[in-house]
């Protein structure tokens, strides 16, 4: 159990993030990629990402084992802004810190040669880390970013209602079922037994889509304190941006709803799943699937009690020709 000790100054300096943190989402999604947890929430994302992720990005898995320690330098605590600025801070990590944190990781899991090259500060190894992060983000996070922002903003709005109504202490007691507030200590179940004294630094509360079941934090107590906690999301909430958002030419050709349906069917889905992910009625989803099938873009087959849709070769060519960033 983690115990976070607050002073009155810490309460005044506690903040609640309004947006997902791209580097925390990269790290925690790497964890999710290696397990089978949360099938209804992450199953389609996991299946697609495993199928499409290039080997050059898969090397990041060595730095992010699904259980236990991952290096703190992957989630710089002081970065502000988007993904690009965060990666720049990761790549500016000092050689001594690379060495210290990779050695902590190697105690549990000896790494490949390129991680050892990071330890000695090889420029090519640092550059390779940045390239892997960009490629991974392009395939596993960026296409889903709008739905992730929607979930985090909804959580923020709900939490702010507690904050405005009764203050920070009321908010702390309602962050997550694993978190309890008994002034002046915030306890978090599921983390190693330790005490974290904020000493006037305050605490950043960071909601996350890929954080699963238990909140997490940075290992080093001297870094700016952050508590990352899971947001609630229902099956289908994590989905790729619509074809209209990511590929206006395809939406102009097919119409935004039909283009979105083609995008969803790229993963293979039932009519019910198609309706949920496109935000249309079951009858509407069936109608869109029928039009796409008649055009030769998808096939439909019965799978038990459900009807399942998949892309044809022509459908895949149309979708791939949209110029989307993840193809």
């Amino acid at each position: 159990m983690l115990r976070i000790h607050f002073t009155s100054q810490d309460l005044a300096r506690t903040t609640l993030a309004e947006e997902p943190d791209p580097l925390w989402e990269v790290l925690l999604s790497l964890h999710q990629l290696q397990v089978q947890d949360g099938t209804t929430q992450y199953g389609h994302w996991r299946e697609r990402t495993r199928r499409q992720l290039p080997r050059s990005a898969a090397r990041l898995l060595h730095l992010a084992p699904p259980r236990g320690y991952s290096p703190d330098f992957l989630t710089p605590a002081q970065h502000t802004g988007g993904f690009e600025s965060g990666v720049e801070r990761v790549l500016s990590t000092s050689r001594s810190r690379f060495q210290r944190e990779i050695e902590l990781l190697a105690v549990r899991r000896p790494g490949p040669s390129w991680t050892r090259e990071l330890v000695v500060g090889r420029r090519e190894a640092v550059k390779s880390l940045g390239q892997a992060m960009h490629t991974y983000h392009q395939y596993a996070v960026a296409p889903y970013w709008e739905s992730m922002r929607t979930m985090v903003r909804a959580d923020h709005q709900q939490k702010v209602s507690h904050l405005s109504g009764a203050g920070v202490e009321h908010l702390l007691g309602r962050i997550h079922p694993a978190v309890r507030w008994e002034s002046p200590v915030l306890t978090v179940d599921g983390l190693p037994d330790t005490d974290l004294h904020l000493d006037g630094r305050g605490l950043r509360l960071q909601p996350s889509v890929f954080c699963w079941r238990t909140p997490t934090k940075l290992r080093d107590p001297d870094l700016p304190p952050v508590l990352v906690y899971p947001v609630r999301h229902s099956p289908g909430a994590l989905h790729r941006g619509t074809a209209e958002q990511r590929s206006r030419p395809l939406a102009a050709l097919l119409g935004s709803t039909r283009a979105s349906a083609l995008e969803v069917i790229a993963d293979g889905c039932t009519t019910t799943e198609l309706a949920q992910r496109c935000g249309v009625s079951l009858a509407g989803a069936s109608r869109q699937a029928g039009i796409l099938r008649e055009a030769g873009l998808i096939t439909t087959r019965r799978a038990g009690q459900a009807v399942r849709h998949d892309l044809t070769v022509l459908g895949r060519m149309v979708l791939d020709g949209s110029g989307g960033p993840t193809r």
Side-chain angles (χ1 to χ4, degrees):
M1 176 188 298
L2 169 68
R3 294 169 295 277
I4 304 176
H5 298 262
F6 284 73
T7 65
S8 58
Q9 193 173 32
D10 293 313
L11 289 172
R13 292 182 175 178
T14 292
T15 60
L16 174 65
E18 186 176 357
E19 298 277 340
D21 184 306
L23 294 191
W24 272 107
E25 299 297 353
V26 164
L27 174 63
L28 295 172
S29 66
L30 282 164
H31 295 170
Q32 281 298 327
L33 199 61
Q34 300 173 77
V35 298
Q36 298 299 331
D37 298 341
T39 301
T40 57
Q41 286 84 1
Y42 306 113
H44 288 283
W45 168 85
R46 190 181 288 126
E47 178 183 350
R48 186 179 188 121
T49 303
R50 286 174 176 172
R51 185 172 68 245
Q52 294 189 339
L53 191 66
R55 288 187 178 182
S56 61
R59 65 172 47 200
L60 288 176
L61 298 173
H62 295 290
L63 292 176
R67 300 285 185 268
Y69 175 70
S70 295
D72 287 340
F73 66 71
L74 291 173
T75 50
Q78 294 175 315
H79 93 87
T80 57
F83 174 71
E84 294 293 338
S85 65
V87 173
E88 289 178 8
R89 288 194 63 88
V90 172
L91 302 187
S92 66
T93 299
S94 66
R95 176 178 170 180
S96 61
R97 185 174 174 189
F98 272 139
Q99 180 177 6
R100 181 173 66 254
E101 296 188 6
I102 289 177
E103 285 179 352
L104 280 172
L105 179 66
V107 168
R108 295 177 175 268
R109 183 177 180 175
S113 59
W114 75 272
T115 60
R116 296 192 291 273
E117 292 172 356
L118 276 178
V119 169
V120 298
R122 294 270 178 89
R123 181 177 300 178
E124 286 304 311
V126 176
K127 181 180 178 181
S128 177
L129 172 61
Q131 291 171 340
M133 293 182 71
H134 277 97
T135 302
Y136 181 84
H137 181 264
Q138 176 187 355
Y139 278 81
V141 176
Y144 304 87
W145 191 249
E146 286 307 312
S147 66
M148 294 166 65
R149 291 182 74 194
T150 297
M151 285 184 271
V152 168
R153 286 176 172 179
D155 177 87
H156 180 271
Q157 186 175 18
Q158 187 264 332
K159 296 292 194 301
V160 164
S161 67
H162 294 306
L163 184 63
S164 59
V168 175
E169 295 188 61
H170 190 71
L171 168 66
L172 290 171
R174 287 161 176 77
I175 286 295
H176 185 267
V179 178
R180 298 187 308 280
W181 172 252
E182 296 178 0
S183 182
V185 179
L186 190 71
T187 60
V188 185
D189 293 333
L191 294 179
D193 188 56
T194 187
D195 291 274
L196 173 62
H197 293 269
L198 298 179
D199 294 329
R201 296 173 294 172
L203 179 69
R204 177 164 67 95
L205 299 168
Q206 177 63 59
S208 167
V209 172
F210 281 102
C211 189
W212 177 246
R213 293 192 184 280
T214 305
T216 188
K217 68 176 188 66
L218 297 168
R219 182 184 186 277
D220 188 343
D222 293 329
L223 292 172
V226 57
L227 183 68
V228 182
Y229 66 90
V231 298
R232 293 181 179 180
H233 53 102
S234 58
L238 178 63
H239 57 80
R240 292 163 63 84
T242 65
E244 183 178 19
Q245 291 169 329
R246 301 190 305 109
S247 178
R248 295 188 183 278
L250 183 60
L253 175 66
L254 300 178
S256 60
T257 301
R258 203 160 298 139
S260 179
L262 191 67
E263 184 79 19
V264 169
I265 293 171
D267 291 324
C269 67
T270 66
T271 304
T272 299
E273 291 168 337
L274 179 62
Q276 291 173 341
R277 293 177 208 165
C278 290
V280 298
S281 67
L282 195 60
S286 181
R287 183 169 59 253
Q288 297 299 336
I291 294 171
L292 293 172
R293 184 171 56 254
E294 290 176 5
L297 300 180
I298 71 169
T299 61
T300 300
R301 58 185 172 84
R302 183 159 292 280
Q305 298 298 314
V307 172
R308 186 171 181 83
H309 310 289
D310 294 283
L311 292 185
T312 62
V313 173
L314 177 61
R316 177 65 64 183
M317 290 173 63
V318 170
L319 198 56
D320 288 352
S322 68
T326 64
R327 305 263 189 266

